Amino acid sequence: MYCVRNVTEDLYWVGANDHRLHLFENIHPIPRGVSYNAYLLLDEATVLFDTVDWSACRQLLENIEHLLAGRPLDYLLINHMEPDHGASIEEILLRWPKVKIISTEKAFLLMRQFGFAIEGHELIQVKEGDTQCFGKHTVTFVAAPMVHWPEAMVTFDVTNGVLFSADAFGSFGALDGKLFADEVNFDRDWIDDARRYLTNIVGKYGPHVQLLLKKASGILDQIKYICPLHGPVWRKDLMYFIHKYDQWSRYEPEEQGVLIAYASMYGNTEAAAQALASKLCEKGMSNVWVYDVSNTHVSQLISESFRLSHIVLASVTYNLGIYPVMHNYLMDMKALNLQNRTFALIENGSWAVKSGDLMQKFIETEMKNMTVLSDRLSMASALHADKASELDAFADAILESMDL
């Protein structure tokens, strides 16, 4: 059974939702599923904007065939070749053998690398600034390299103001009928998935996102719709989401708040983390979030690290090093280019307290534009009552460093 929705005028969403996939890119948990968005334009020519993951191919084909109602598919326009969007390309070519393919030079290279049989089709290679007319609608192409693959581009329909934004402005989460961001409470129900998606998938490429935003700034007054390849379509309050992307890609915290991430073997480091959380709240800072790095997926930790201004790392010493999952968290922060945060450290060890020095060294030598507070809470095995004044001073030092 087909499942389509009208976006605007003669443009339709023809994608699919996936609740069976548990790990996006086989690494990031997606408990609310994910959508694979594709769009079909019915103009004098018919145009399919991108495809879907192979798991959703049947739904895509039913949707297209329903809307075409016997018409040929004239163009397949590929903004992004990653397999969760490009895997169904060859099936489209088999069903509509006369379709012309529009994409970038690098995308065609990747199609050949994936083994897609594109050689018998007319290939229209485009670059930034080129235009293509489909009848009433004319589109122009904007290069978006490393957002987040090197071949990516976005396409702007100058006729109706639709921006086909590829993986930009996307989100985890299946749509389940609610195509538009204004049909949900986005700030309550979707923003965490959108942040986790951007920071973990594209976070490393903040400067490239900034470049794309700079290009888009010249046509902001013309953009009426943002159609991403994952997540809801935007037709209202576009600047709300554009501002979020601007913040995240500049590595600017959304909120003044404290993330306390602890690595605890027997509960003593956890107890210190909880004592600090209580002390901060007692002193008036209640935007405090405590996570066990052993039981929290690192994608969630990264998302929270992008959201909040201050990060407290509380780690035991393990084999004279940083506890392994805490070290992995630090490595992910480095890999995703997190910057402009203030760190405070809690260290623990029963015979050699080394984790604090090692965490500080990693932050200062491996990461960019970070501040590590000189105040540190150090404990041997457990936090005892004689450390109460140190805990209080530690909380004060964190609060004094905040822009309140």
Side-chain angles (χ1 to χ4, degrees), residues 138-194:
T138 297
V139 301
T140 186
F141 306 102
V142 180
M146 301 317 302
V147 185
H148 64 121
W149 273 30
E151 91 304 353
M153 70 175 180
V154 301
T155 301
F156 181 59
D157 189 329
V158 299
T159 304
N160 60 10
V162 173
L163 178 67
F164 298 95
S165 63
D167 264 350
F169 303 108
S171 176
F172 295 138
L175 297 173
D176 298 339
K178 299 175 285 291
L179 175 62
F180 297 102
D182 55 275
E183 294 178 322
V184 300
N185 188 330
F186 195 90
D187 200 53
R188 183 190 68 194
D189 299 331
W190 279 82
I191 190 62
D192 289 339
D193 267 338

Side-chain angles (χ1 to χ4, degrees), residues 6 10 15 173-174 182 219 229 232 242 250 308 350-351 356 383 395 398:
N6 180 235
D10 40 15
D182 55 275
I219 57 169
L229 290 178
I242 291 172
R250 285 189 291 109
L308 298 165
S350 293
W351 62 88
L383 190 68
I398 295 170

